[in-house]
Amino acid sequence: EVRLVESAGGSVQAGGSLTLSCRTFGFPFDASAMGWFRLPPGTSCELVSRSQVELNSVKGRFTVSRDSAQKTMYLQMNDLRPEESAMYYCAAYLQLAYAQHTPPSPTCRAYGMSYWGKGAQVTVSS
């Protein structure tokens, strides 16, 4: 069974930091392209970072890393802003993926990812 399990999110004040992890099960981690996405309330799915592409507004503040031995991806977020409060999702793309997951929102479908985590709530207060 393919699973992507995010760590619990959290609540921080503006300017604070938070690190999310995404542990994966059931597919070849090193053969996959993984990414982080977020879904603010009432808006569309946003690509935070995938491969070499990242949202302009997070450059210099967010860092993605991978640990192949642990089959885990991380998202370190620094200097968080209130407008970045959202559900954060990790996702994986795999060629010839089977039993693909339904994206958390129809607006996430356009990114073409194969598998999705359940999400982690990040709340940033001003």
Side-chain angles (χ1 to χ4, degrees), residues 33-56:
M34 298 201 58
W36 287 96
F37 299 80
R38 65 189 182 193
L39 189 58
T43 65
S44 300
C45 199
E46 291 181 322
L47 167 65
V48 175
S49 180
R50 174 189 168 177
S51 299
Q52 304 302 318
V53 178
E54 64 179 355
L55 196 62
N56 282 337

Side-chain angles (χ1 to χ4, degrees), residues 61-111:
R61 298 186 298 118
F62 288 16
T63 302
V64 176
S65 60
R66 295 171 62 136
D67 182 337
S68 293
Q70 297 297 321
K71 298 185 179 181
T72 299
M73 177 177 66
Y74 300 91
L75 176 65
Q76 182 179 348
M77 302 179 287
N78 297 323
D79 191 21
L80 280 159
R81 303 167 182 173
E83 60 267 29
E84 294 178 315
S85 296
M87 282 291 286
Y88 282 70
Y89 296 90
C90 64
Y93 170 76
L94 192 65
Q95 279 193 324
L96 304 178
Y98 65 93
Q100 297 189 42
H101 295 165
T102 301
S105 161
T107 61
C108 296
R109 195 180 304 275
Y111 294 107

